[in-house]
Amino acid sequence: MSYKFSEKMDHLKPSVIREILKYSSDPAVIPFSAGNPAPEAFPVEKVQAISANILAKEPIAALQYSITEGYPKLIEAVTNDLKNRLHIGADTDRVIITSGAQQGIDLTVKSFCSKGDVIICESPSFVGSLNAFKASEATLVGVPMDEDGMNMEQLEDALKANPTAKLIYTIPNFQNPSGITMSMEKRRKMYQLAKQYGVCIIEDNPYGDLRFAGEDVPAIKTLDEDGIVIYCGSFSKVLSPGLRVGFVCANADIIQKITVLKQTNDVHTNILAQMVAYHFMTECDFVGHLENLRKIYKHKAELMLSEMDKHFSKNVTWTIPQGGLFLWCTLPEDQDMLAFCQDAVKNHKVAVVPGNAFMTSDDVPTTSFRMNYSTPTDEQIIAGVKILGDLMK
Amino acid sequence: MSYKFSEKMDHLKPSVIREILKYSSDPAVIPFSAGNPAPEAFPVEKVQAISANILAKEPIAALQYSITEGYPKLIEAVTNDLKNRLHIGADTDRVIITSGAQQGIDLTVKSFCSKGDVIICESPSFVGSLNAFKASEATLVGVPMDEDGMNMEQLEDALKANPTAKLIYTIPNFQNPSGITMSMEKRRKMYQLAKQYGVCIIEDNPYGDLRFAGEDVPAIKTLDEDGIVIYCGSFSKVLSPGLRVGFVCANADIIQKITVLKQTNDVHTNILAQMVAYHFMTECDFVGHLENLRKIYKHKAELMLSEMDKHFSKNVTWTIPQGGLFLWCTLPEDQDMLAFCQDAVKNHKVAVVPGNAFMTSDDVPTTSFRMNYSTPTDEQIIAGVKILGDLMK
């Protein structure tokens, strides 16, 4: 039978990127293409103890249906952590627990956008979010980035040119894929423009706790006197991505819409995972754990950067991230980046992600690619960077 | 700020039903309104042992990112179980693991339906699915049920009257909310009509393993030579709803679309929960566990029915379920069902769900309400039925 799928599925076709990522699943390939936390970053023994304790003391609560909004103690812990550590959260704000930040972003966009509504985002941006936007049949408008975040003149031009814009999407800290952090000045400007043009901001901050250089920059949400910032957080990078626990903090009216959609989407997030996250963040020196993660990623990032200094061609440029998991490498304009990436993975078993994966449409030209330093071992970083360097020559 | 939400959010308003369900969360209320598995149905010790074993032997696999399609060993176990026990699954079919059957239904509908596409469903039907359909901006067409399932003449009329129909949605076994099971004759007829009119069937079967009376009726999916049946299953009623693990078995083309949407929705289902489900179904006498569940629910259903025989008015009718968790009780046509339900919960602390919660729109009249026997204790069943009986007089 030839199935009559929804038109929106046409926007979500498998791409050349998927082909390259297929090669990456080969264990012999050096995975600079991944985005996985380092295996040594998982607090395995603590998760073992917490899980055993929950299933011994509260097994029925952990296995039974729960409420859509999330495990109440975790909501409270997240609300307090946002308030105390990040100075986030107004009296009119609420927190909902989601099945990863991905679900928070997906349901936020579905709450706001109908077919053709415009979402303005950084170009490049996180492919998972871009695909969620496309699945909502939203129209994507990409704004190029400077060294300190989205170009604000071009953001204002985009807002003027798109009166049906509903949302601005940004990853302000150690952006995926670019590694760039938005300056406080630009955060203020973005907030002011959003307010002026009557749009909301999705502030996606999965990496904010992973700063290993420079000074923390307050979240855009700290400026939010008008209830226009939808803050998405995640336990994926600070505890475990396999648990699929994230959250959204936003005005109660917005959280109510997300809750209704979540109920039709997956009823609620796995409750044992929510209970594990709650006990981990309140009883296991969460702040000390974050310190340890920063050390792990600082070491890996510095190792990759110093190896790149040694081996990469002088006409290749890259970003210097102050945290997170990624950096962004750009070949000279006359080079065929896609051919470079294909050659690297097929013939030399080093996988990076071609930059066009992160563009708002296939026809935005780029000679950049994304490199990840959290997944590979130190040995793989040293070997893989040398191989890429040799290929540049 | 007054937010510019998507138009589709207008279809998803909180209702009078929610008000009644709010009262149900009071622990002093007898919960005939719930749909929770009985607490004694959870294999707590086995889940404890399996979880400890996984986190001891494969902690990184349980905590790291995984693939969207699901834990490969669970996919294989579900595929085999469907084939061996239920005779389901063609060579062209595939299985995807979802975050509960709810997500399977939600993403199937999003794959097929654009605004205004028609979904034909039983009237009454499961409110979670109806809301998922509304969130996709589909148009719902309800077909009344006979004692042996959807009325087939009216189904054909609906197919003729709605050439843009994309899907038929059915819960063939111990339907929620009616408790009705579709006869084999009607299953064959539904399949033939679906084929003739070029639509697919979503066969939602969360309760099929909970038959405690009568003979099993083969799934519609067993007839599926044409790849038109999308079978949704769940571990919620046979293991634990809190784990949020379900699955879809359908033609590979359909599973590919669902996979793309799932990646944008929650990346993948909690991996520890998938591993628990895998070990439980392959190493813990799954069939023996199902036997035990059937005993629990047989006892509870028979207790409720015998108490209803004793106490309910003679002009009140109800269905006699052969399995599952629910029965459907109908007051005489001249009675105000909603007032009855409100009085029962507010003044007498017995909660049932008013039948209009399960109708395709608020203006379909009904004097029925849903009663659940899996959640309350035996004592609550005896006390609650007596209270409802007294209120009928």
Side-chain angles (χ1 to χ4, degrees):
Chain A
M1 172 160 174
S2 101
Y3 302 104
K4 288 177 271 183
F5 292 114
S6 164
E7 270 175 41
K8 64 176 166 288
M9 299 309 294
D10 297 341
H11 308 299
L12 293 166
K13 285 182 186 153
S15 67
V16 63
I17 317 298
R18 266 177 194 262
E19 283 303 303
I20 288 183
L21 291 180
K22 261 190 202 166
Y23 287 100
S24 320
S25 64
D26 176 354
V29 164
I30 294 178
F32 294 164
S33 53
N36 293 1
E40 62 268 34
F42 294 122
V44 170
E45 285 171 24
K46 286 173 182 163
V47 173
Q48 287 167 344
I50 290 170
S51 301
N53 204 34
I54 293 167
L55 288 171
K57 289 189 181 158
E58 302 178 86
I60 303 305
L63 297 175
Q64 191 54 282
Y65 277 114
S66 186
I67 55 172
T68 304
E69 290 82 350
Y71 181 54
K73 289 183 181 177
L74 180 61
I75 293 175
E76 191 187 344
V78 167
T79 303
N80 290 340
D81 187 59
L82 288 175
K83 184 157 281 180
N84 299 335
R85 281 203 307 128
L86 304 179
H87 311 293
I88 282 176
D91 289 346
T92 47
D93 283 339
R94 296 291 177 273
V95 166
I96 181 172
I97 308 298
T98 55
S99 303
Q102 180 76 35
Q103 189 192 39
I105 293 160
D106 189 36
L107 298 186
T108 299
V109 168
K110 288 191 166 60
S111 299
F112 277 90
C113 294
S114 303
K115 186 176 179 176
D117 282 343
V118 166
I119 301 175
I120 299 174
C121 58
E122 289 145 352
S123 175
S125 187
F126 170 50
V127 61
S129 295
L130 298 182
N131 281 334
F133 304 160
K134 288 174 189 169
S136 285
E137 298 183 277
T139 299
L140 306 193
V141 173
V143 174
M145 298 181 83
D146 306 320
E147 276 180 20
D148 61 345
M150 198 187 263
N151 182 290
M152 289 295 134
E153 287 72 37
Q154 294 192 54
L155 170 59
E156 182 152 21
D157 291 346
L159 286 163
K160 277 183 193 156
N162 295 284
T164 66
K166 286 277 187 81
L167 296 163
I168 300 170
Y169 172 74
T170 180
I171 306 170
N173 295 313
F174 332 122
Q175 198 237 17
N176 180 358
S178 71
I180 288 171
T181 296
M182 201 193 312
S183 65
M184 193 64 219
E185 189 188 342
K186 285 200 166 172
R187 294 179 194 219
R188 282 200 199 92
K189 183 70 181 173
M190 180 180 278
Y191 184 82
Q192 178 249 306
L193 287 172
K195 185 175 170 178
Q196 181 180 339
Y197 288 89
V199 305
C200 287
I201 297 170
I202 300 180
E203 181 173 27
D204 183 15
N205 191 22
Y207 316 110
D209 286 325
L210 302 181
R211 175 179 286 279
F212 48 70
E215 294 292 317
D216 276 337
V217 186
I220 306 168
K221 182 72 180 161
T222 62
L223 309 169
D224 191 19
E225 292 177 350
D226 305 275
I228 61 173
V229 181
I230 301 150
Y231 181 89
C232 298
S234 175
F235 286 92
S236 291
K237 307 304 184 292
V238 298
L239 174 54
S240 149
L243 292 182
R244 310 305 309 131
V245 182
F247 54 88
V248 180
C249 174
N251 181 277
D253 291 348
I254 298 172
I255 296 298
Q256 192 263 329
K257 299 290 179 189
I258 295 173
T259 305
V260 169
L261 283 184
K262 182 168 168 64
Q263 193 156 31
T264 71
N265 182 216
D266 69 357
V267 189
H268 65 78
T269 294
N270 179 296
I271 182 72
L272 176 60
Q274 295 188 66
M275 294 169 90
V276 168
Y278 161 69
H279 288 282
F280 183 73
M281 80 182 289
T282 57
E283 296 162 10
C284 293
D285 186 17
F286 189 52
V287 170
H289 171 71
L290 297 179
E291 281 300 328
N292 182 45
L293 294 185
R294 288 183 201 111
K295 276 183 208 152
I296 293 172
Y297 294 121
K298 180 183 172 71
H299 164 76
K300 284 179 172 281
E302 288 179 351
L303 178 64
M304 181 172 269
L305 287 163
S306 72
E307 293 299 307
M308 289 166 73
D309 274 332
K310 277 188 228 167
H311 298 292
F312 276 20
S313 295
K314 296 307 158 206
N315 57 1
V316 174
T317 60
W318 54 88
T319 56
I320 313 282
Q322 296 191 318
L325 311 180
F326 304 107
L327 57 82
W328 186 244
C329 193
T330 304
L331 300 176
E333 278 190 16
D334 58 348
Q335 289 203 17
D336 185 339
M337 179 274 299
L338 207 52
F340 175 85
C341 297
Q342 281 170 326
D343 181 39
V345 71
K346 282 191 196 174
N347 304 320
H348 305 277
K349 296 201 177 292
V350 181
V352 298
V353 186
N356 34 3
F358 306 99
M359 298 300 163
T360 48
S361 76
D362 285 343
D363 51 6
V364 178
T366 178
T367 60
S368 300
F369 55 88
R370 189 190 76 177
M371 291 177 71
N372 164 269
Y373 44 80
S374 61
T375 313
T377 62
D378 288 4
E379 294 69 31
Q380 287 179 315
I381 290 175
I382 293 167
V385 170
K386 170 120 184 18
I387 290 168
L388 293 179
D390 289 346
L391 288 179
M392 288 167 183
K393 276 153 198 167
Chain B
M1 172 163 174
S2 101
Y3 302 104
K4 289 177 270 182
F5 292 114
S6 165
E7 271 175 41
K8 64 176 165 289
M9 300 309 294
D10 297 341
H11 309 299
L12 293 165
K13 284 183 187 152
S15 66
V16 62
I17 317 297
R18 266 176 194 262
E19 282 304 303
I20 288 186
L21 291 180
K22 260 189 201 167
Y23 288 99
S24 322
S25 65
D26 175 354
V29 164
I30 295 179
F32 295 163
S33 54
N36 293 0
E40 62 269 33
F42 294 122
V44 170
E45 286 172 24
K46 286 172 182 165
V47 172
Q48 287 168 343
I50 290 170
S51 301
N53 204 34
I54 293 167
L55 288 171
K57 290 190 181 159
E58 304 177 85
I60 303 306
L63 297 174
Q64 189 56 280
Y65 278 116
S66 187
I67 56 171
T68 303
E69 289 82 351
Y71 182 53
K73 288 181 181 178
L74 180 60
I75 294 175
E76 193 187 342
V78 167
T79 304
N80 290 340
D81 187 59
L82 288 175
K83 183 158 283 182
N84 299 335
R85 279 202 308 128
L86 303 180
H87 311 294
I88 282 176
D91 289 347
T92 46
D93 283 340
R94 296 290 177 274
V95 165
I96 181 173
I97 308 298
T98 55
S99 302
Q102 180 76 34
Q103 189 191 38
I105 293 161
D106 188 37
L107 298 186
T108 299
V109 168
K110 288 192 165 58
S111 299
F112 278 90
C113 294
S114 302
K115 186 176 178 175
D117 283 342
V118 166
I119 302 176
I120 299 174
C121 58
E122 289 144 353
S123 176
S125 187
F126 171 50
V127 60
S129 295
L130 297 182
N131 281 334
F133 304 160
K134 289 174 189 170
S136 284
E137 298 183 275
T139 298
L140 306 194
V141 173
V143 174
M145 297 179 85
D146 306 319
E147 275 181 21
D148 61 344
M150 197 186 265
N151 182 290
M152 288 296 133
E153 287 71 38
Q154 294 191 55
L155 171 59
E156 183 153 20
D157 290 346
L159 286 162
K160 277 185 193 155
N162 294 284
T164 65
K166 287 275 188 81
L167 295 164
I168 300 170
Y169 172 73
T170 179
I171 306 170
N173 295 314
F174 332 123
Q175 198 237 18
N176 181 356
S178 70
I180 288 172
T181 296
M182 201 192 312
S183 65
M184 193 64 220
E185 187 188 343
K186 284 199 168 172
R187 292 179 195 220
R188 281 199 200 94
K189 182 69 180 175
M190 181 180 278
Y191 184 82
Q192 178 248 308
L193 288 172
K195 185 175 170 179
Q196 181 181 339
Y197 287 89
V199 306
C200 287
I201 297 170
I202 300 180
E203 180 173 26
D204 184 12
N205 192 22
Y207 315 111
D209 287 325
L210 301 182
R211 174 180 285 279
F212 48 69
E215 294 291 316
D216 275 337
V217 186
I220 307 169
K221 183 71 179 161
T222 62
L223 308 170
D224 191 18
E225 291 178 349
D226 305 276
I228 61 173
V229 181
I230 300 151
Y231 181 90
C232 297
S234 173
F235 285 92
S236 290
K237 308 303 182 291
V238 296
L239 173 55
S240 149
L243 293 181
R244 310 305 309 132
V245 182
F247 55 87
V248 181
C249 174
N251 182 277
D253 291 349
I254 297 171
I255 296 297
Q256 193 264 330
K257 299 292 178 190
I258 295 173
T259 305
V260 169
L261 283 183
K262 181 169 168 64
Q263 192 156 32
T264 71
N265 182 216
D266 69 357
V267 189
H268 64 79
T269 294
N270 178 297
I271 182 72
L272 176 60
Q274 294 188 65
M275 294 168 90
V276 169
Y278 161 70
H279 287 282
F280 183 73
M281 80 182 289
T282 57
E283 296 163 10
C284 293
D285 185 17
F286 189 51
V287 170
H289 171 70
L290 297 179
E291 281 300 329
N292 182 46
L293 294 185
R294 287 184 203 113
K295 276 183 209 151
I296 294 171
Y297 294 121
K298 180 183 172 70
H299 165 76
K300 284 177 172 282
E302 288 178 350
L303 179 63
M304 182 172 268
L305 287 164
S306 71
E307 293 300 307
M308 289 166 73
D309 274 333
K310 276 189 230 164
H311 298 292
F312 276 20
S313 294
K314 296 307 159 207
N315 56 1
V316 174
T317 60
W318 54 88
T319 57
I320 313 284
Q322 297 191 318
L325 311 180
F326 305 107
L327 58 82
W328 186 243
C329 193
T330 304
L331 299 177
E333 277 189 18
D334 59 346
Q335 291 203 14
D336 185 340
M337 180 273 301
L338 208 53
F340 175 84
C341 297
Q342 282 171 328
D343 181 40
V345 71
K346 282 191 196 174
N347 305 321
H348 305 276
K349 295 201 178 290
V350 180
V352 299
V353 186
N356 34 1
F358 307 99
M359 298 300 163
T360 49
S361 79
D362 285 342
D363 49 7
V364 178
T366 177
T367 60
S368 301
F369 56 87
R370 189 189 76 177
M371 291 178 70
N372 164 269
Y373 43 81
S374 62
T375 312
T377 61
D378 288 3
E379 294 68 32
Q380 287 178 316
I381 289 174
I382 292 167
V385 169
K386 170 117 184 16
I387 291 168
L388 292 180
D390 289 345
L391 288 179
M392 287 168 184
K393 277 155 200 167

